[in-house]
Amino acid sequence: MAAQRVPADQQWLAAYDPRAYAPVAVTVDVVALTLRQGRLHVLLVERGGPPYQGCWALPGGFLRAGEEGLEEAAARELAEETGLHGTAGSDAALSRVHLEQLGTYGAPDRDPRMHVVSVAYLAFAPDLPDPRAGSDAAAAAWHPVASLDLPTAGASGDLPAAGSSGPSAETHGGGLGGRAASEPAGIELAFDHARILADGLDRARAKIEYSPLATAFLGHDFTIPELRAVYEAVWDERLHAGNFHRKVLSVPGFVESIGTTADRGGSRGGPRARQYHAGDAQLLHPPLLRPAREEEVR
Amino acid sequence: MAAQRVPADQQWLAAYDPRAYAPVAVTVDVVALTLRQGRLHVLLVERGGPPYQGCWALPGGFLRAGEEGLEEAAARELAEETGLHGTAGSDAALSRVHLEQLGTYGAPDRDPRMHVVSVAYLAFAPDLPDPRAGSDAAAAAWHPVASLDLPTAGASGDLPAAGSSGPSAETHGGGLGGRAASEPAGIELAFDHARILADGLDRARAKIEYSPLATAFLGHDFTIPELRAVYEAVWDERLHAGNFHRKVLSVPGFVESIGTTADRGGSRGGPRARQYHAGDAQLLHPPLLRPAREEEVR
DNA sequence: ACAATAGTGTCTTTAAGACATTATTTC
DNA sequence: GAAATAATGTCTTAAAGACACTATTGT
């Protein structure tokens, strides 16, 4: 059946003119996460026209075919939206942003206008300045993820299979901590961006278990209590300060002491914490496992 | 600069006619893994024309824009190439194949003819019959992964960031067990398919740590020694039979006894093993961790 | 008979988690 | 001074890994 239309050995040979087929658009969307006032935030832009006019959406745009790779495009979109430049290793703030591919979403009806395949990226950023409404009319802002309505992890159509992400996957209920009952229903996101964001949060929660990337949310120098605050915000769990401290120091290459201490103690008292910067480990061994959730305990 | 060409807030509004931009093609490629004679094999097709004429490549083809989603396309390609049908939950063999998104590859020069964005999927299959050379002239066959030249894990251009995959990522040297020194240089794969396959193997190695998917390589009923053979083939590690047995039985929901025993003992002697089938767990808790490799030990 | 293997038992080591304690800082 | 917090110490429990042992099968 299908073989007649696209014979297997001719797939790559077949007219490479895509106009022979129905057109597809390729876009790149970015789930950019940061920590502000101890809470996890995501960068969103407000849509100025239909469809989903007035809705918030993930920053993104078309891949510049023939000119750039996918990660390059994601870095460009992120730079445009945050107003920061200097991506991979170059200069400035964005050089410290971690960027990785999250997954690709390509249901035929995810955009009402045409078939759009969107490659999603996940970014971990230290506290960045507010995005300039900038070169265009669109609003762009950091939103607390807890203020958004997100689908539960797991089930999805064209998603990057819960898989990939170690022991993560379906575990968490909904968004981080959910919203207080008093709050109005969360903001609605355009297209399937709520699904993408939920997958990104899942990935982030799993990622910091096995990688030192939690440090990407902090400045160059940080204290262990600050690092703990990152884990608590991303996992939406209270962690035991003493055990966390000992655990972090016991993982080789995670953090490296720089001998100094913070300028002040905690906001509510306590001694000044020592300062560290990220070590050279790419993988945490052994990992920092999330506390077991009751639902998954048998 | 960029903002002028694609103003951020107009990206989604901009002419949705992709012909306004340089054309991009979207393809779906599948890394299909199976176990044959205790060794891991991957499904490859031989290219009948340039570029890379005569090279082997991953099975794949164009996304049918507007008609199908990405996973749907991957399942279709896999069915066409294996000659099996009945994908997700329907009937027959393919219903027991696990399929998940691996990552998307979109470097502008990965295909010499035009910018092709390829969404890669990873499939775990029980031992399937040899693919029929089938409807087209192309050869298709299962190849032992050890016979292929694969790049080391980790470094890559547009890859789905080692990330995602728990404690996996860069650890393994090259292909499974590498090739014996006597063998000629491994087969060369077309395009960046060696990179994609290497990423797929990494994902597979990580995935069976946390998920019960190793059972997807086996029939409906299997014994624990058979399951151990899967882990040994995928990880290229010898595992301790006794400890493995106890460990598997201790993970809730991993396997379920069906009371029967295998028809025969091991090929070289020993008692008949009891038979099990996959339990209902989606996640192994606690996981089956790979034995630590010396390189990553500090 | 012999060798290999399935399955179980036991011991050691490592790591996680629950407390407890002391010193230091903010309010 | 009171309360909170950084950092360290101690104890218990769970799990991984090494090893030993028996019972059962194929050659």
Side-chain angles (χ1 to χ4, degrees), chain A residues 25-51:
Chain A
V26 175
T27 65
V28 173
D29 292 321
V30 180
V31 176
L33 302 178
T34 197
L35 227 67
R36 305 193 127 196
Q37 300 114 28
R39 295 185 310 168
L40 198 57
H41 286 65
V42 61
L43 182 64
L44 298 178
V45 298
E46 192 173 7
R47 291 182 50 76

Side-chain angles (χ1 to χ4, degrees), chain B:
Chain B
M1 38 194 266
Q4 290 178 318
R5 184 166 170 176
V6 185
D9 84 61
Q10 306 224 335
Q11 293 164 348
W12 288 96
L13 307 175
Y16 248 63
D17 181 354
R19 276 156 291 208
Y21 297 83
V24 193
V26 176
T27 64
V28 173
D29 292 321
V30 181
V31 176
L33 302 177
T34 197
L35 227 66
R36 305 193 128 196
Q37 299 111 30
R39 294 185 310 166
L40 197 58
H41 286 64
V42 61
L43 182 63
L44 298 178
V45 298
E46 192 175 7
R47 291 181 50 75
Y52 296 100
Q53 181 162 15
C55 275
W56 292 86
L58 298 174
F62 287 109
L63 174 72
R64 294 183 183 171
E67 298 178 21
E68 61 185 1
L70 297 171
E71 182 159 343
E72 208 175 332
R76 176 177 54 78
E77 293 293 344
L78 184 58
E80 288 174 6
E81 231 57 64
T82 58
L84 301 174
H85 296 278
T87 324
S90 69
D91 72 326
L94 274 202
S95 63
R96 292 193 48 256
V97 173
H98 168 77
L99 192 61
E100 70 178 46
Q101 193 179 298
L102 174 59
T104 301
Y105 299 77
D109 58 352
R110 58 181 294 280
D111 187 299
R113 290 160 297 187
M114 72 175 290
H115 199 158
V116 177
V117 171
S118 178
V119 184
Y121 276 78
L122 178 64
F124 295 171
D127 199 345
L128 298 178
D130 271 308
R132 350 151 282 182
S135 55
D136 48 52
W142 293 100
H143 286 252
V145 297
S147 71
L148 305 173
D149 249 338
L150 299 180
T152 53
S156 157
D158 249 324
L159 93 170
S164 83
S165 30
S168 72
E170 50 278 316
T171 55
H172 242 76
L176 282 207
R179 299 179 316 287
S182 59
E183 273 181 289
I187 294 169
E188 259 189 54
L189 297 186
F191 307 104
D192 53 359
H193 288 190
R195 163 89 272 149
I196 298 176
L197 173 54
D199 291 341
L201 291 173
D202 264 354
R203 171 76 67 88
R205 288 190 275 254
K207 190 93 189 183
I208 63 175
E209 289 191 303
Y210 300 102
S211 81
L213 285 175
T215 62
F217 287 109
L218 300 171
H220 182 267
D221 298 336
F222 53 86
T223 66
I224 296 196
E226 283 168 350
L227 183 60
R228 175 163 45 86
V230 174
Y231 278 90
E232 291 185 333
V234 175
W235 286 347
D236 190 32
E237 302 260 11
R238 296 280 302 173
L239 300 179
H240 186 288
N243 289 340
F244 181 86
H245 190 276
R246 182 163 9 92
K247 171 67 183 174
V248 166
L249 291 184
S250 79
V251 177
F254 191 3
V255 299
E256 227 168 284
S257 173
I258 57 177
T260 58
T261 65
D263 293 346
R264 298 181 27 95
S267 58
R268 282 174 291 187
R272 303 180 193 178
R274 298 182 197 134
Q275 293 181 304
Y276 300 82
H277 59 241
D280 54 7
Q282 299 300 304
L283 239 40
L284 302 186
H285 201 73
L288 272 99
L289 296 176
R290 270 174 284 187
R293 291 234 147 190
E294 300 72 31
E295 308 100 78
E296 61 182 335
V297 172
R298 293 161 188 281

Side-chain angles (χ1 to χ4, degrees), chain A residues 35 71 88 96 99 118 143 171-172 176 194 209 221 236 241-242 244 247 254 272 275:
Chain A
L35 227 67
E71 181 158 342
R96 291 195 47 257
L99 191 62
S118 178
H143 287 252
T171 54
H172 241 79
L176 281 206
E209 288 190 303
D221 299 335
D236 190 32
F244 180 86
K247 172 67 183 172
F254 192 3
R272 303 178 192 181
Q275 293 180 305

